[in-house]
Amino acid sequence: MKKKHIILAGTSRSGKTTLSMELAKLDYTHYKMDPIKRALYGSIIDEDGSNWEEVSPKIAKIIGQILKDNKTDTDYNQEHYVIDTCHLFPHDAKTIEDEDTKVIFLGYADSSVDERLKEIRENDKDNYWTSKLSDDELKKLLQQNIDFSNQIKNECEQYGISYYDTGKSREETLKKIYEDIESDQI
């Protein structure tokens, strides 16, 4: 099986960037969409990116263009991307996935707010955005992310897209995904 581009999508703090940085060790070029998305706020993306239904097709279009441009490069099939992003829905991601690209969603649908809060606080670093939020602020966001995780989990089942829940055993799940990609099982 030939190497594919990997799109890691899903909820914040589910392990997308952590896994992407590990995949960079397998010679994937890592694209982190969050800074690109923030740069587009107010132009092609609503002011703060809070309307995920409007953001998702735009993110899918940007990722699709990145992958399309790769096919015209003289080094085609020499450089492979791992792209991590939030605010992408499976129905929009389905427009990107092809024989050269694998989409994987990460979430934590099977977790409670308190479980996620505990795990995040245990692993927070000063430069993480979550470290700057109060527990009450973070709990509100975590509930939204759990709801989003359930939505993307159901859509992934509907569209035949891979979904991994990282809520209960994040490190073990990320290791399994990494091993599957490394051994061309994904």
Side-chain angles (χ1 to χ4, degrees):
M1 177 186 279
K2 73 178 190 171
K3 192 172 183 180
K4 296 181 178 202
H5 301 294
I6 306 291
I7 298 168
L8 295 174
T11 58
S12 58
R13 296 301 301 267
S14 61
K16 299 179 308 293
T17 301
T18 300
L19 182 56
S20 295
M21 291 188 306
E22 286 298 311
L23 290 171
K25 296 174 185 175
L26 296 176
D27 293 325
Y28 281 91
T29 300
H30 178 206
Y31 273 86
K32 186 167 177 59
M33 291 300 295
D34 287 346
I36 295 168
K37 184 174 50 190
R38 282 190 293 273
L40 297 172
Y41 286 168
S43 57
I44 68 165
I45 295 177
D46 64 2
E47 268 321 294
D48 62 359
S50 60
N51 185 340
W52 295 358
E53 287 290 344
E54 285 185 17
V55 172
S56 179
K58 293 172 184 175
I59 294 298
K61 186 175 181 178
I62 292 167
I63 293 170
Q65 188 63 48
I66 290 168
L67 297 174
K68 180 181 173 190
D69 285 352
N70 173 265
K71 290 181 180 182
T72 63
D73 288 345
T74 57
D75 293 332
Y76 178 58
N77 275 338
Q78 300 300 312
E79 183 177 35
H80 290 85
Y81 303 139
V82 58
I83 300 171
D84 79 81
T85 188
C86 330
H87 309 131
L88 180 65
F89 287 93
H91 61 268
D92 293 316
K94 192 66 180 164
T95 66
I96 304 166
E97 192 171 56
D98 62 19
E99 68 276 355
D100 296 324
T101 306
K102 178 67 178 171
V103 178
I104 300 168
F105 275 84
L106 305 179
Y108 35 87
D110 298 330
S111 295
S112 71
V113 168
D114 289 332
E115 288 171 325
R116 293 300 303 145
L117 179 66
K118 182 178 185 270
E119 190 274 331
I120 286 171
R121 290 302 189 216
E122 287 173 356
N123 295 294
D124 252 351
K125 293 186 170 82
D126 288 340
N127 62 333
Y128 288 178
W129 62 269
T130 50
S131 69
K132 296 165 183 48
L133 300 176
S134 71
D135 283 358
D136 287 339
E137 291 170 315
L138 188 52
K139 282 182 175 184
K140 182 179 176 184
L141 288 172
L142 289 171
Q143 186 58 61
Q144 290 173 341
N145 284 339
I146 290 170
D147 294 344
F148 181 60
S149 293
N150 279 298
Q151 182 178 356
I152 62 174
K153 179 181 178 182
N154 291 335
E155 269 196 45
C156 283
E157 289 174 11
Q158 178 183 356
Y159 291 102
I161 296 174
S162 298
Y163 172 85
Y164 292 87
D165 197 293
T166 61
K168 302 282 186 196
S169 56
R170 183 177 187 261
E171 296 309 314
E172 292 84 15
T173 303
L174 295 178
K175 182 179 178 187
K176 167 78 170 117
I177 300 167
Y178 177 89
E179 290 170 352
D180 287 349
I181 292 170
E182 183 180 40
S183 65
D184 290 327
Q185 297 300 309
I186 287 186

